Structure formats: structure tokens, C-alpha cells
Amino acid sequence: STILDGKLFILTWLEGKVFVCNPDTFEEEAQFDIRRQGWGLTTDGTQLIMSDGSAQLFFINPARFDIVRSITVRRDGKSVRWLNELEYIDGRIWANVYLTDEIVIINPESGEVEGVVDCTGLLPEELRSPDTDVLNGIAYNPEDGAIYITGKYWPRMYRIGPLKK
């Protein structure tokens, strides 16, 4: 989910739906059908950016939820599949790569991976349980530059920023 222009966009994984809601009341204002899985959603402040688990990222008009353009994400010339949770940070798209401990930092124009955040060992073994799942959460607070990451059923959230310029 992400907020753009005072609207909350909620992307479903398998149901092929995007719900547009009032972020204060959660009252549904609109609904769109999509023809792909919904893995991640963020915004650059103008358009929505969506992942579907492939190496593609889709830039979407928020008024009609139609695809304006797409890019293929590449690292060292090879496409990067399993792009999952997305966050737009300082002009770049951060995406965790499903089933890995990596977050890739993507140029939104070219699709090239410009950096990698290696989260290996971030959640210590003693905090893991049989329910602990994959790295899957990235959040950014533009007011203080803080970046937070977590995973499915993780008992902790970790602050890894702010970024230094």
C-alpha cells in the first residue's frame, strides 16, 4: 500500500485488485482490476510504481491505474527477478529480492541496480521461530531520512538510515 494525492492505494497479491481508499476512514472510493500479481507498490509523488514478482517495474497513472511505462531491472547486465516490497527513497526505488536478504537500489529511468543493501544476519537466529519468514518490509520517513526494514513475522523492525549525502 502507499498514499498518493491523499488517497490510499492497497494492492492485493493474488486477487487482481487495487483498492483506493480514504486514508483516514478506510472508506473505499474506487477499485481497479489488474492482470498480474501484486507484490509491491510505492510512489514517486506523481505516479505509482508496482512490482509483480518479475524483473519488471510498472509506472502507473493513479487516476486510471493504467501502465504508463515499464522498466526491466538489471544488475551487471542480468535481469533481477522476484522484486517484491518497494519504497521510493531519494529518487531511487528500493526493492527487496524475494527469498534473499538483499535490497536492491534501482535507477527508475534505466532500471539499473546502483546499489545493494545486504541484510544477511540482520535478524539473529535466537529471535527466529518456525513462523519467521522472509525479509519483506521497507519504510522511509522523509522527515528525518530514517529507513526501516523488517520481514514477515519478524519480532523486530530495524532502522538502517538515514542516508548520508
Side-chain angles (χ1 to χ4, degrees):
S1 62
T2 194
I3 295 177
L4 176 61
D5 295 332
K7 297 182 184 305
L8 173 64
F9 292 82
I10 303 170
L11 178 66
T12 63
W13 174 37
L14 297 176
E15 292 79 9
K17 302 276 184 201
V18 174
F19 299 98
V20 184
C21 301
N22 178 307
D24 297 319
T25 65
F26 292 100
E27 183 177 329
E28 186 179 320
E29 297 177 357
Q31 187 180 122
F32 298 103
D33 292 321
I34 57 174
R35 295 179 183 215
R36 54 187 26 95
Q37 292 184 2
W39 282 43
L41 188 66
T42 192
T43 180
D44 62 5
T46 303
Q47 56 197 341
L48 298 166
I49 305 165
M50 185 183 89
S51 64
D52 66 354
S54 70
Q56 297 289 119
L57 291 178
F58 303 93
F59 294 77
I60 296 170
N61 175 326
R64 297 182 308 274
F65 215 85
D66 58 334
I67 297 171
V68 175
R69 69 182 181 96
S70 66
I71 57 173
T72 300
V73 176
R74 296 187 185 285
R75 179 178 178 187
D76 300 324
K78 298 177 183 169
S79 61
V80 179
R81 295 181 36 203
W82 310 114
L83 299 171
N84 196 8
E85 166 67 5
L86 304 176
E87 189 70 24
Y88 194 82
I89 302 172
D90 288 340
R92 296 296 180 254
I93 302 163
W94 289 43
N96 83 286
V97 181
Y98 185 63
L99 296 177
T100 77
D101 290 324
E102 290 187 340
I103 296 171
V104 291
I105 302 171
I106 305 160
N107 180 309
E109 297 304 317
S110 68
E112 290 299 315
V113 172
E114 296 181 343
V116 176
V117 179
D118 183 355
C119 299
T120 302
L122 186 62
L123 183 66
E125 284 300 320
E126 62 267 16
L127 293 178
R128 295 179 180 269
S129 75
D131 294 329
T132 303
D133 207 338
V134 296
L135 174 72
N136 187 32
I138 309 167
Y140 174 63
N141 182 347
E143 290 181 20
D144 66 2
I147 300 166
Y148 299 91
I149 61 173
T150 192
K152 288 184 183 181
Y153 307 112
W154 284 23
R156 299 248 169 97
M157 181 183 332
Y158 295 90
R159 181 178 175 155
I160 62 167
L163 301 175
K164 301 291 182 206
K165 293 187 179 191

